[in-house]
Amino acid sequence: MTSTMQPLVSRDHRINFRSYNCAGMNRMLRVLCSILVVLPLLSEAQAPAPNEKVPIIEGGAGPCSLELTIRGADGKPVYAATVTVHIAYGFGGMRKLDLEAGTNSDGKVKFAGLPARVQRPPLEFHASKDEFVGVAAFDPSTECQAKHDITLEKPKAQDGR
């Protein structure tokens, strides 16, 4: 009876430590290490951006601008609040401009290209979200580049109506 099996011990009675799958083990070790390096990078890439780009509405009527931050009664920024303004400008207020924009996740929106002189200043920027409202006054002749906050509150009930 002839055996084709090789003994585990060589002729000089030392154990052979060279594995038959050493290359495969090294490859697997490299793959696992690269996964461990890449995982933290992927989790940072999926995190939301802390400073989202501020939406800018261009009026195209002048050099002034106003950046608004809309906050709730609790002081937190309000996402997707609607801000509107009606602007009458030019000789006798003949030109009119109606602008509307929504806020980003930081509660911010910017109106640019506003005229420096308007009919009956100040301009009133009306913000609303659901049943909450707020107003900011802006006079471009006294403050051409400005930043204001609007706090949204429930409207007060009218007397006897």
Side-chain angles (χ1 to χ4, degrees), residues 65-71 83 103 106-111 114 122-125 127 135-140 142-151:
S65 66
L66 173 66
E67 185 173 324
L68 294 169
T69 303
I70 313 303
R71 300 185 186 282
V83 182
T103 60
D106 296 328
K108 294 183 183 269
V109 65
K110 183 174 183 176
F111 290 88
L114 303 177
L123 298 174
E124 289 186 348
F125 288 80
V135 177
F138 169 65
D139 187 354
T142 60
E143 52 176 349
C144 192
Q145 309 294 323
K147 292 183 179 185
H148 288 279
D149 290 349
I150 298 177
T151 302

